[in-house]
């Protein structure tokens, strides 16, 4: 599904290298997790994959189902099936959440040459999915993420993911700032989307999210590279011993 | 001294050829008084404090600069609204194109007819609010309008007026110079909606005086016409009584020069006065100025000034807004926001927000910002699959939303939103 080879990324305006030759392959239908200390470049990786400005790829490649991601506009990547649940979801005053969702869903359908969803069908689908995530009618009406609590913002990200049904979902610290109940809701939302044709890259700092979303593969990232790859037990190792042992071992 | 002399010479030169329309004795007196006010104040120059950002020379020149007729090739605004339509062509009432001036809960007359009557309620309004609005800031172009206005309507709402009254201002002559003066008197507990749209003339001076009695409600939505070369100066003077509501919204698209002045005075307790505007401007020769003055002189009044400007390609936007809270006007809630979205580096926004408060138990806030499209929000939308072009337009519309939300009628708001989408679409 997602294949990243030797990816090197620096900041556009500064002489600062952040990703230093990153290799990662996520197979179709699998859930991969990336764990790593703060500042290791996890968010940068997610931004570069989704096409945010401000970064310069100096080497390497990233492909989604064989298509060169790095060559596409952000909206083309989305239409190709990539989705990023932001670590810090963005507030958009003046744009209603519902309008935002409908615009996004229909834009992607249009890009793929599909019919737009009728207002009625769209509404039915949003309501059902919002209910599962305990997102009430008021949250759907309010401007995107404005005045939402941390947990509400993260649930809203999962709602967008559910509505857009992407092939490759990247979740950047979706667990941060969530209490136990909200974490459960988010994890249930993600698990409900797990399917043979869909892959996940779950970026997290802590093991606890991975109790709910069981990963197939766990990667440890440090200083712009994947330094170790293993099974779910790797997450437990981090939980018990922290990053220092692993980092000492690979250095 | 030399400056004052220059100013009075220029004013005399401009007034030399002016003749005042004749009417009943009271109206002749009102016009003569207004002319005397103009002489005393002098016509504005760019040295005046409130004309620092907007050069009035094209508005004061003896001859109106030519303005090409613009055919937008679209359905006229508010065409689908069930309304009472009153048409002016280059500032002259067109009876054939207008509906009959009768309606439920309302009396409507042509200005000249009202001014010809020996006894008329208009006597207590014509030029009266304009005169009050000359202090503390002088508005000589409004006084000039009162002196020379050749046409207009006077509207007295006595009940809940069934249909909106729609003033349509057509522009058909490239050199027309129109001066219209309208009066609206909203009696106790009465309600009326006034719609205005169109460029009116090559150069247009409009003056609207509105008196809202206790418990009355005045709702005003206007659009100033898409003619690129038009020049416009408007003044709205309003005085609102207890538990009354005044809401005015203006959409400005194109035009080389627009100055919209609004002077509101809250004189009764628990009243609401909102004035809002959206302007979208493209090009070096676009200049738009909103100059607003709201006075609170009663308890528990609520005022809002919400102005949003989208500017590109060297367009200039100006906002001068003041909230004055007089002594004793406790529990005043005054809000003022003026913001501009600069779509490129060439556009500019000049703002002068002012607060002057003489009561101690009030909540007043004001803010003014100027900025580009929020790149983070743009990326967020694009990452959800919304193409850059649509995402930019969505964010631009969302920037204007707070001002559009001031339009109480959702159908009217939707119609103006559509027009703004059209403007954006034509420019991307
Ligand atoms: N736009 C940026 N400007 C400056 N520094 C940045 C920027 N983006 C990332 N960095 C830096 O790059 C490093 C990696 O950041 P990030 O990708 O956010 O790490 P993580 O998500 O793993 O905590 C950090 O040192 C961070 O300060
Ligand atoms: Mg991060």
């Amino acid at each position: 599904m997602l294949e990243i080879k030797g990816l090197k990324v620096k900041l556009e305006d500064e002489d600062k290298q952040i990703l230093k030759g990153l290799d990662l392959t996520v197979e179709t239908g699998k859930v991969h997790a990336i764990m790593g200390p703060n500042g290791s470049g996890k968010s940068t990786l997610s931004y570069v994959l989704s096409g945010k400005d401000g970064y310069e790829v100096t080497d390497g490649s990233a492909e989604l189902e064989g298509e060169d991601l790095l060559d596409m506009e952000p909206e083309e990547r989305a239409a190709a099936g990539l989705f990023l649940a932001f670590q810090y979801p963005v507030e958009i005053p003046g744009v209603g959440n519902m309008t935002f969702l409908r615009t996004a869903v229909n834009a992607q359908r249009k890009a793929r040459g599909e019919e737009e969803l009728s207002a009625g069908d769209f509404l039915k689908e949003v309501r059902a999915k919002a209910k599962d995530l305990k997102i009430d009618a008021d949250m759907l009406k309010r401007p995107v993420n404005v005045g939402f609590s941390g947990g509400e913002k993260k649930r809203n990200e999962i709602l967008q993911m559910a509505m857009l049904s992407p092939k490759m979902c990247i979740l950047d610290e979706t667990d941060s700032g969530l209490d136990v109940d909200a974490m459960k809701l988010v994890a249930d939302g993600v698990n409900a989307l797990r399917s043979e044709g869909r892959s996940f890259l779950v970026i997290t700092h802590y093991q606890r999210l991975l109790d709910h979303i069981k990963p197939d593969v766990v990667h440890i990232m440090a200083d712009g590279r994947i330094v170790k790859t293993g099974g779910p037990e790797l997450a437990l190792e981090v939980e018990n011993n922290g990053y220092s042992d692993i980092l000492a071992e690979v250095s | 001294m030399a400056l004052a002399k220059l100013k009075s010479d220029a004013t005399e030169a401009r007034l030399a050829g002016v003749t005042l329309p004749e009417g009943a004795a009271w109206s002749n007196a009102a016009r003569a008084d207004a002319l005397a006010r103009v002489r005393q104040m002098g016509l504005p120059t760019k040295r005046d404090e409130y004309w620092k950002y907007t050069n009035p020379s094209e508005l004061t020149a003896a001859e109106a600069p030519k303005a090409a007729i613009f055919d937008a090739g679209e359905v006229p605004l508010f065409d689908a609204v069930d309304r009472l339509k009153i048409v002016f062509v280059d500032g002259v009432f067109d009876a054939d194109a207008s509906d009959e001036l009768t309606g439920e809960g309302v009396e409507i007359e042509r200005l000249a007819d009202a001014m010809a009557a020996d006894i008329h309620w208009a006597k207590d309004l014509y030029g009266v609010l304009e005169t009050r609005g000359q202090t503390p800031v002088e508005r000589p172009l409004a006084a000039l309008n009162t002196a020379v206005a050749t046409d207009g309507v006077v509207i007295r709402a006595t009940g809940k007026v069934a249909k909106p009254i729609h003033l349509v201002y057509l522009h058909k002559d490239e050199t027309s110079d129109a001066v219209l003066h309208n009066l609206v008197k909203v009696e106790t507990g009465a309600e009326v909606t006034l719609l205005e749209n169109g460029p009116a003339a090559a150069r247009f001076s409009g003056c609207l005086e509105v008196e809202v009695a206790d418990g009355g409600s005045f709702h005003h939505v206007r659009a100033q016409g898409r003619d690129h070369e038009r020049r416009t100066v408007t003044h709205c003077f309003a005085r609102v009584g207890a538990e009354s509501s005044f809401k005015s919204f203006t959409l400005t698209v194109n035009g080389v020069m627009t100055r919209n002045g609004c002077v509101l005075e809250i004189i009764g307790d628990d009243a609401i006065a909102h004035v809002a505007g959206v302007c979208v401007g493209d090009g070096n020769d676009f200049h738009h100025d909103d100059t607003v003055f709201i006075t609170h002189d009663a308890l528990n009044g609520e005022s809002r000034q919400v102005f949003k400007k989208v500017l590109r390609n060297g367009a200039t936007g100006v906002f001068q807004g003041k909230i004055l809270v007089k002594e004793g006007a406790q529990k005043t809630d005054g809000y003022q926001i003026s913001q501009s979205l600069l779509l490129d580096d060439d556009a500019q926004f000049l703002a002068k927000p002012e607060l002057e408060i003489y009561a101690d138990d009030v909540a007043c806030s004001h803010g003014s910002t100027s900025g580009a499209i929020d790149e983070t929000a743009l990326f967020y939308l694009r990452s959800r699959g919304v193409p850059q072009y649509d995402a930019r337009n969505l964010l631009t519309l969302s920037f204007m939303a707070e001002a559009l939300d001031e339009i109480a009628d959702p159908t009217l708001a939707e119609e103006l939103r559509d027009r703004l989408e059209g403007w954006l679409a034509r420019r991307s």
Side-chain angles (χ1 to χ4, degrees):
Chain A
M1 173 70 68
L2 179 67
E3 183 147 28
I4 304 169
K5 284 188 194 151
L7 190 63
K8 291 188 184 168
V9 171
K10 68 179 274 292
L11 292 177
E12 214 166 50
D13 307 335
E14 266 177 65
D15 212 12
K16 180 169 175 172
Q17 198 73 30
I18 302 175
L19 301 185
K20 302 177 177 171
L22 183 139
D23 297 294
L24 177 70
T25 302
V26 181
E27 306 80 8
T28 303
K30 298 290 183 204
V31 176
H32 284 225
I34 294 186
M35 302 182 74
N38 269 333
S40 54
K42 303 183 297 296
S43 292
T44 301
L45 173 63
S46 70
Y47 284 145
V48 169
L49 291 176
S50 44
K52 190 174 185 196
D53 282 344
Y55 302 98
E56 190 184 325
V57 176
T58 54
D59 202 7
S61 64
E63 292 182 349
L64 184 72
E65 292 189 310
E67 277 189 87
D68 181 6
L69 266 182
L70 303 177
D71 207 29
M72 297 183 210
E73 296 295 329
E75 54 269 33
E76 293 169 339
R77 303 180 195 205
L82 186 78
F83 180 90
L84 168 64
F86 282 55
Q87 179 171 4
Y88 304 107
V90 179
E91 299 186 2
I92 315 184
V95 178
N97 211 8
M98 201 69 128
T99 307
F100 171 70
L101 278 168
R102 200 177 50 233
T103 308
V105 167
N106 283 332
Q108 291 204 14
R109 292 180 76 101
K110 197 171 152 197
R112 290 194 291 253
E114 299 164 15
E115 287 255 327
E116 291 196 353
L117 220 51
S118 80
D121 288 347
F122 171 80
L123 214 64
K124 228 187 283 167
E125 204 177 320
V126 174
R127 287 209 177 115
K129 293 192 159 129
K131 194 168 164 227
D132 293 340
L133 288 158
K134 295 215 161 66
I135 290 174
D136 60 23
D138 184 51
M139 260 176 76
L140 288 174
K141 250 187 271 159
R142 268 154 45 194
V144 180
N145 293 323
V146 177
F148 287 27
S149 71
E152 286 172 337
K153 284 182 181 168
K154 297 301 175 81
R155 277 186 276 145
N156 202 30
E157 293 290 291
I158 303 302
L159 174 65
Q160 292 165 36
M161 188 166 90
M163 287 303 297
L164 294 169
S165 38
K167 292 181 202 154
M168 178 71 231
C169 309
I170 305 174
L171 283 75
D172 189 4
E173 302 216 16
T174 299
D175 50 340
S176 65
L178 295 189
D179 61 23
V180 180
D181 292 338
M183 170 109 74
K184 184 89 179 34
L185 277 175
V186 163
D188 288 349
V190 172
N191 287 329
L193 288 172
R194 285 179 80 152
S195 76
E196 270 178 24
R198 183 173 286 135
S199 310
F200 289 85
L201 187 60
V202 180
I203 298 172
T204 180
H205 203 65
Y206 304 102
Q207 195 267 335
R208 54 177 198 163
L209 181 66
L210 303 179
D211 283 344
H212 299 288
I213 306 172
K214 297 264 189 301
D216 300 299
V217 182
V218 175
H219 308 273
I220 306 296
M221 184 165 173
D223 195 24
R225 282 189 202 95
I226 302 295
V227 294
K228 190 167 182 178
T229 296
E233 72 287 346
L234 200 49
L236 282 172
E237 201 182 318
V238 170
E239 174 76 359
N240 296 331
N241 308 330
Y243 288 109
S244 46
D245 285 5
I246 296 173
L247 297 187
E249 173 195 320
V250 297
S251 67
Chain B
M1 189 59 208
L3 272 179
K5 176 80 168 69
L6 268 176
K7 191 168 185 165
S8 75
D9 286 354
T11 302
E12 288 309 326
R14 170 71 176 82
L15 297 181
V18 163
T19 49
L20 305 185
E22 297 264 343
W26 66 266
S27 84
N28 294 341
R31 289 181 185 277
D33 286 353
L35 196 63
R37 281 196 293 285
V38 179
R39 288 214 151 87
Q40 186 260 319
M41 293 183 270
L43 286 169
T45 73
K46 62 178 197 273
R47 293 176 197 277
D48 295 356
E49 194 189 342
Y50 280 87
W51 289 94
K52 206 164 56 186
Y53 302 135
T54 299
N55 187 342
S57 64
E58 291 178 337
L59 299 171
T60 56
E63 296 253 320
K66 249 177 137 173
I69 313 293
F70 180 78
D71 180 8
E74 59 186 12
V75 177
L77 205 61
F78 309 134
D79 221 41
V81 179
D82 182 19
R83 82 282 202 218
L84 195 148
K85 183 167 139 183
I86 302 174
V87 180
F88 293 87
V89 180
D90 293 302
V92 181
F93 175 65
D94 181 343
D96 294 337
S98 303
D99 292 332
E100 216 177 302
L101 302 187
T102 55
E104 200 185 310
V106 67
E107 294 162 13
I108 308 169
E109 280 166 87
R110 205 172 160 184
L111 179 74
D113 294 337
M115 303 273 286
D118 287 330
I119 295 174
H120 200 285
W121 59 262
K123 175 175 186 282
D124 296 324
L125 197 49
Y126 191 85
V128 173
L129 297 188
E130 175 258 294
T131 305
R132 285 179 70 90
Q134 297 293 355
T135 39
V137 179
E138 292 178 347
R139 300 162 209 281
L141 290 175
L144 182 62
N145 179 301
T146 301
V148 305
T150 43
D151 221 327
V153 284
V154 305
I155 298 168
R156 189 164 83 100
T158 52
K160 197 168 163 13
V161 181
K163 290 181 187 180
I165 294 162
H166 182 192
L167 308 182
V168 181
Y169 300 133
L170 303 179
H171 171 208
K172 294 189 176 173
D173 173 351
E174 282 194 346
T175 58
S176 58
D177 191 14
V179 185
L180 293 176
H181 198 114
N182 300 311
L183 303 180
V184 179
K185 188 170 166 67
V186 182
E187 300 286 6
T188 307
E191 280 176 37
V192 66
T193 297
L194 180 70
L195 308 176
E196 294 180 276
N197 78 291
R203 181 171 70 181
F204 174 51
S205 165
C207 186
L208 172 66
E209 294 179 277
V210 184
E211 172 104 66
V212 187
D214 295 355
S217 164
F218 176 71
H219 190 202
H220 180 216
V221 181
R222 103 181 134 165
Q224 299 188 284
R226 280 176 50 196
D227 291 34
H228 291 271
E229 295 171 359
R230 66 163 178 78
R231 287 156 179 91
T232 305
V233 56
T234 72
H235 289 89
C236 172
F237 297 93
R239 183 163 59 175
V240 305
E243 292 175 27
S244 69
S245 160
F246 173 98
K247 287 191 177 184
S248 175
F249 176 91
T250 301
L251 171 71
T252 309
V253 176
N254 305 340
V256 286
M257 161 66 62
T258 308
R259 160 87 159 214
N260 290 330
C262 186
V263 183
L264 304 180
E265 198 184 355
I266 297 182
I267 56 163
D269 296 346
D270 306 306
I272 289 172
H274 293 189
V275 50
V278 163
C279 104
V280 290
D282 184 1
N284 258 325
D285 52 1
F286 178 91
H287 186 104
H288 180 95
D289 175 327
D290 286 299
T291 296
V292 181
F293 198 113
I294 298 188
T295 303
H296 284 264
D297 197 9
L299 293 175
N300 203 30
E302 179 199 298
S303 73
R304 287 171 69 83
Q305 302 174 36
V306 184
F307 288 87
K308 304 274 181 157
K309 294 177 167 54
V310 176
L311 306 167
R312 50 178 269 166
N313 240 337
T316 300
V318 175
F319 175 79
Q320 309 184 99
K322 181 155 181 168
I323 308 175
L324 168 64
V325 181
K326 289 203 172 169
E327 206 180 324
Q330 303 295 12
K331 307 282 181 199
T332 285
D333 178 0
Y335 174 77
Q336 179 195 89
I337 184 105
S338 67
Q339 294 181 307
S340 74
L341 179 62
L342 307 179
L343 294 182
D344 53 46
D345 292 340
D346 298 334
Q348 63 166 344
F349 178 53
L350 305 159
K352 184 181 173 191
E354 293 177 279
L355 276 179
E356 199 177 327
I357 301 176
Y358 298 102
D360 51 15
D361 185 13
V362 301
C364 284
S365 66
H366 67 122
S368 182
T369 64
S370 185
I373 288 257
D374 179 352
E375 290 296 330
T376 318
L378 188 63
F379 173 63
Y380 191 56
L381 279 159
R382 295 178 73 192
S383 79
R384 297 311 183 236
V386 183
Q388 179 165 27
Y389 159 85
D390 297 318
R392 285 185 78 90
N393 285 355
L394 188 61
L395 291 174
T396 304
L397 281 171
S398 76
F399 164 79
M400 302 186 260
E402 187 186 2
L404 285 162
D405 284 348
E406 289 292 326
I407 303 170
D409 182 327
T411 320
L412 295 175
E414 195 51 44
E415 194 174 349
L416 294 191
R417 206 184 310 269
D418 285 349
R419 299 293 163 133
L420 285 164
E421 274 180 37
W423 186 87
L424 289 170
R426 287 192 295 276
R427 266 157 192 81
S428 359

